[in-house]
Amino acid sequence: MKILSLLVAASALSTPVLAQTQAPDPARLKATVEKLVSFGTRHTLSSATDPKRGIGAARGWAAAEFARISKTCGGCLKVESVSERFTGPRVPDGADVVDVLAIQTGTGDPNQVVIIAAHIDSRVSDVMDFTSDAPGANDNGSGSALVMEAARVLAGEKFDGTIVYALLSGEEQGLLGGKLLAHIAKARGWQVRAMLNNDIVGNTTGQNGRIVADRVRVFSEGIRSAEDAKAGMTRRGIGGEDDGPSRALAKAIDDIAEANPQIGLDVFAVRRPDRFGRGGDHTPLLEAGYPAVRFSVGIENYDRQHQDLRVEQGRDYGDTVKGMDFPYLAKVTALNVAALRTLASAPAAPAVVSLDGALSMDTRVFWDAVPGAAAYKVFWRRADAQDWADSRVVTGATETVLRDVVVDDHFIGVAAIGKDGAASIVTFGGMAPRK
């Protein structure tokens, strides 16, 4: 077993600062949101065939924009529209839900997939009203513009893994586009490393007038919703409630933000799957067992969400462009781009990490080998802490012994490191198989 020196670990195998060849453009983001607003309504039950108004026109325009971006990089994006018919409380007569995908195939293992997504549909006060104007500027023209701008910025770059840029329909009618995306991922055998859901990411002035322009919330689950009872009991036994794959993803995004201070955003890592009592299109991905998080603004203005356009007692209601902050949206886009670069460049996370150290002052850590990993980074922290405090880089082996680290008192995890220093999310260490 060979352990790299701390100097090499710090210089070559730490979280990389990811330079951008081109930065997200606030003016482009604004133009995209204004174009989406111009379709009048993007309600899932609005017209799918009208060339100027409704969800069909918006999806068609977005697909054409992805195709235009693809031409700039010699066809680096495969653009397709996938559909499935859903019936439910908010689609009582059934509806064909269509997701627009732009797929940037990886050069190493294309089946290792990172997804960046946003819902393109909009609504007003009555969720079944598909005729009234529903601008959906911030909810969720902001996320849709972010996804499209990320595709523009990253087009032509090469990554080991595949990036899927996804614009989803049917979110307001029951997270239907997210369900369709989860079905597609399963059917195609994608090994989803991460799903970044961006929903309401373009305002900085809150309901109370407070301005929050230097923070973005990243929501994540701790205990996996996809776990069965046996897996849940195992996680309870090892104390991994705060270290499921999605929570590890949120912590990785926080590290990426800290490694890229030029972006100018602090990650407020909220330890729940979504806002209190609410949900988003990452939820079906979580239910399917994939790591997924939701990005949302640091502070919300509820007068501008799910509201009919109107003025009452001097207060504006409705989700219009004037309620948005596009330099802020550019910062959230830049953080997503940095996360995509890391996650699509890194190896997969170790499938299993095991610990052996009961009745000992030392802990042996061993893990499954990961194809393409140049090294591994072992993390540990005291069992009363949330964030990793210590680490060690290991190369040429898939195990190490942590001297004077008592397994009863510490949590331990391992990430795989690529040759360029990009790190996977951390896999939490559990009990070694019984002999």
Side-chain angles (χ1 to χ4, degrees), residues 321-370:
V321 174
K322 70 178 181 180
M324 295 182 62
D325 182 332
F326 291 98
Y328 173 80
L329 178 56
K331 291 195 291 186
V332 182
T333 306
L335 178 56
N336 272 264
V337 166
L340 290 171
R341 281 198 175 104
T342 294
L343 295 166
S345 299
V352 178
V353 173
S354 300
L355 310 177
D356 189 3
L359 309 178
S360 173
M361 292 293 101
D362 306 325
T363 300
R364 175 174 168 251
V365 188
F366 53 104
W367 55 92
D368 292 351
V370 177

Side-chain angles (χ1 to χ4, degrees), residues 87-310:
T87 306
R90 295 185 177 183
V91 281
D93 298 323
D96 292 323
V97 172
V98 180
D99 292 347
V100 179
L101 309 179
I103 301 173
Q104 189 169 355
T105 303
T107 59
D109 185 351
N111 216 36
Q112 295 287 329
V113 174
V114 181
I115 301 170
I116 180 171
H119 74 87
I120 195 172
D121 58 304
S122 64
R123 59 165 286 191
V124 289
S125 300
D126 179 358
V127 71
M128 300 305 295
D129 180 355
F130 60 87
T131 59
S132 297
D133 281 349
N138 197 28
D139 184 13
N140 188 33
S142 65
S144 298
L146 181 155
V147 170
M148 297 173 73
E149 182 69 353
R152 183 188 71 84
V153 170
L154 293 174
E157 295 188 27
K158 303 296 184 183
F159 301 100
D160 181 72
T162 292
I163 300 176
V164 175
Y165 307 91
L167 298 178
L168 313 178
S169 303
E171 193 266 358
E172 305 288 8
Q173 305 309 114
L175 311 181
L176 304 180
K179 292 177 182 178
L180 171 55
L181 182 62
H183 296 167
I184 291 293
K186 286 289 187 183
R188 298 187 182 184
W190 290 348
Q191 302 299 308
V192 179
R193 296 179 181 178
M195 187 267 205
L196 312 180
N197 181 33
N198 286 269
D199 194 349
I200 309 179
V201 287
N203 74 278
T204 52
T205 301
Q207 182 89 6
N208 57 3
R210 182 183 171 201
I211 296 175
V212 177
D214 60 352
R215 184 176 78 187
V216 64
R217 293 176 296 169
V218 177
F219 294 85
S220 65
E221 68 174 14
I223 298 173
R224 298 178 69 184
S225 57
E227 286 183 350
D228 59 19
K230 181 179 179 180
M233 288 299 293
T234 299
R235 185 170 293 280
R236 177 178 177 272
I238 62 176
E241 294 88 347
D242 194 49
D243 289 272
S246 297
R247 185 61 46 79
L249 174 58
K251 292 177 181 181
I253 293 167
D254 195 3
D255 289 342
I256 290 167
E258 290 184 1
N260 291 272
Q262 75 281 2
I263 293 174
L265 280 180
D266 175 56
V267 169
F268 179 12
V270 184
R271 285 169 156 79
R272 60 166 55 109
D274 208 318
R275 300 157 303 160
F276 193 74
R278 302 166 78 179
D281 274 321
H282 58 301
T283 304
L285 278 294
L286 293 173
E287 292 170 348
Y290 301 124
V293 296
R294 175 191 178 134
F295 286 77
S296 203
V297 293
I299 194 165
E300 294 186 61
N301 186 337
Y302 308 108
D303 288 352
R304 297 189 176 278
Q305 298 176 19
H306 301 177
Q307 295 286 343
D308 293 335
L309 294 169
R310 67 193 191 279

Side-chain angles (χ1 to χ4, degrees), residues 367-410:
W367 55 92
D368 292 351
V370 177
Y376 301 92
K377 197 167 188 178
V378 180
F379 296 86
W380 65 96
R381 68 180 192 264
R382 279 178 30 156
D384 60 351
Q386 291 180 329
D387 298 324
W388 300 115
D390 297 285
S391 64
R392 170 185 296 174
V393 175
V394 177
T395 186
T398 56
E399 67 174 88
T400 191
V401 175
L402 303 180
R403 302 294 181 189
D404 297 318
V405 175
V406 179
V407 71
D408 293 337
D409 301 338
H410 293 84

